[in-house]
Amino acid sequence: MKQPFPKYAFFNNELYVSVKTIEPVPTTGRDAAIVCRRASGNAAEAEERYVEQRLWLEAASAVNETARSRGLVTSQSPAHEKIALFRSLFKGRPDVHAHGFRRKDGGIGYVPACENEWKRGVCPRVENAHTKCSLCEKQAFAPLTDSTIISHFKGLDDRFRDVFGLYVLNEDSTTSLLVMDFDEGEWQDAARAVREAAKSHGLQASVERSRSGNGCHIWFFFECPVSAKLARDFGSALISEAMAHAKSVGFDAYDRMFPAQTTIPEGGFGNLIAAPFQGRAQRRGNSVFVDEQLRPYPDQWLFLSKVGKLSEEAARAVVDSHAGAPLGSLQDEHGVPWKGRAEKPLSRESFTGFLDIVESDMIYVPESALSAEAANAVKRAAAFAN
């Protein structure tokens, strides 16, 4: 069986990816040339270089060993290295995960993966489909195995039972990650705004195009589990900053954050988030991570191996820096929702033109006359802490 041509090679301590092969003129007797570019950075802007095929093959022969020594994983890395990387980032509650199923309407639903699921005489859902798995005396939750992850990557089950999700809220109300969910609306602009807000704090936001392709998940990974409250406060601060600088970040695009609660709800596990890289969606260009232009990274594994994790101190710094920001709070010091106000009042410069407010079945304020700061103030005046 013919071996695939090696995609990566290291030169001068830099990882390069092959772009194409230029065959020589037969009469010259020269070796073929490999056109390559640096694997990191923006592919569209990367400078292309030429390497003799012989030198490329020599450098590529030890690429896996070199990549492993530098903590890099690529699409050519062994499967066990990819799975280990995946597990190191996408950490949910360790004792239970969810698997999908096809709903009657054709959509996807999720239930906890249980060894006793649908066993007659054992699983109470056989008699009552509305039984809560979290309260079941016969529960025997299945572990998240490597084969489960691989099946998720392949995405071959028409019933969606090979899709899995993570319960991100641990029993002690901590979490190892935070995910922002943006759907419909101007989710593309929202993703860019949140990414820029994170970058302003020296942090990385990892943007995954959702399974449907009509939204995105923005992932943040913590070095160690942090309290769910801190994670959610951190996410709220970034979203508020994004809303202050981009009018397109509105309530129609922003859906929710995961974890969706700060403590474990009684009789449940908290909300779950579907894991990325679902095979069926990947084949449509979805459920993958995208760059600033919302284009899938050429090598998803190389991207993940370079993702930076947040420390608890970094998350707290973002929350603390937001405490006295001009966006203000959604409530006053006594917890009254409708009395929250901005620390810095709006000025004439906050409006780009004449503001014509229309009172009808609702109050209508045209966005065209509002700066991003003023638009955010209006949104916050119409919202309250829930």
Side-chain angles (χ1 to χ4, degrees), residues 61-383:
S61 63
V63 70
N64 283 343
E65 291 75 9
T66 306
R68 189 178 300 114
S69 68
R70 301 184 183 190
L72 297 178
V73 177
T74 72
S75 58
Q76 291 190 178
S77 297
H80 70 272
E81 292 184 8
K82 296 176 181 176
I83 292 175
L85 172 60
F86 190 86
R87 284 184 177 275
S88 73
L89 292 171
F90 303 99
K91 295 179 180 179
R93 182 167 163 168
D95 59 329
V96 60
H97 70 282
H99 74 75
F101 66 90
R102 181 183 285 275
R103 300 193 310 252
K104 291 182 178 180
D105 63 2
I108 185 170
Y110 291 90
V111 292
C114 180
E115 302 283 6
N116 290 330
E117 186 179 6
W118 301 121
K119 286 185 179 180
R120 288 194 174 277
V122 180
C123 176
R125 293 181 63 212
V126 174
E127 303 296 333
N128 182 4
H130 298 291
T131 301
K132 281 192 173 184
C133 297
S134 59
L135 302 178
C136 178
E137 296 180 355
K138 304 295 185 179
Q139 61 182 220
F141 296 130
L144 179 61
T145 63
D146 289 355
S147 61
T148 300
I149 296 175
I150 292 173
S151 295
H152 175 87
F153 292 164
K154 292 180 177 178
L156 302 177
D157 191 337
D158 290 337
R159 300 174 300 165
F160 301 142
R161 288 183 61 85
D162 56 359
V163 180
F164 84 88
L166 302 168
Y167 294 104
V168 299
L169 187 56
N170 298 320
E171 288 186 285
D172 61 355
S173 297
T174 63
T175 183
S176 296
L177 49 84
L178 175 80
V179 188
M180 300 175 185
D181 186 13
F182 289 88
D183 287 317
E184 301 178 354
E186 300 296 332
W187 67 266
Q188 300 94 335
D189 292 338
R192 294 188 184 96
V194 172
R195 195 174 229 152
E196 287 301 315
K199 189 182 294 185
S200 70
H201 293 278
L203 305 175
Q204 180 180 1
S206 300
V207 180
E208 173 213 359
R209 186 183 295 151
S210 62
R211 289 177 63 250
S212 67
N214 297 321
C216 71
H217 299 144
I218 304 180
W219 297 76
F220 295 91
F221 307 95
F222 297 106
E223 293 177 349
C224 299
V226 301
S227 73
K229 182 180 185 307
L230 173 60
R232 288 180 55 78
D233 287 347
F234 163 77
S236 296
L238 283 185
I239 291 174
S240 291
E241 288 189 25
M243 291 177 72
H245 295 95
K247 289 194 291 185
S248 58
V249 185
F251 297 122
D252 56 339
Y254 173 59
D255 189 357
R256 54 183 169 173
M257 287 188 291
F258 300 88
Q261 303 90 4
T262 57
T263 57
I264 288 286
E266 184 177 354
F269 303 115
N271 292 82
L272 64 89
I273 180 72
F277 292 1
Q278 198 278 322
R280 187 181 296 269
Q282 277 197 82
R283 290 189 282 276
R284 299 194 303 270
N286 300 328
S287 194
V288 294
F289 289 89
V290 296
D291 61 18
E292 287 80 359
Q293 286 73 45
L294 303 180
R295 297 173 303 198
Y297 287 103
D299 191 319
Q300 295 285 306
W301 297 105
L302 182 60
F303 165 75
L304 287 183
S305 67
K306 294 183 176 183
V307 166
K309 292 186 177 182
L310 281 72
S311 66
E312 181 175 347
E313 292 73 20
R316 289 193 185 281
V318 173
V319 175
D320 292 343
S321 68
H322 180 70
L327 300 174
S329 172
L330 288 180
Q331 57 190 22
D332 71 358
E333 64 273 16
H334 302 296
V336 180
W338 56 85
K339 290 188 177 180
R341 63 180 181 83
E343 297 294 329
K344 176 185 174 183
L346 297 177
S347 64
R348 181 180 295 276
E349 287 69 31
S350 302
F351 302 90
T352 59
F354 183 77
L355 186 61
D356 186 13
I357 300 176
V358 177
E359 181 182 1
S360 181
D361 57 326
M362 295 187 292
I363 295 178
Y364 293 86
V365 180
E367 277 195 297
S368 59
L370 302 177
S371 66
E373 180 185 25
N376 183 60
V378 172
K379 293 171 185 175
R380 295 175 73 83

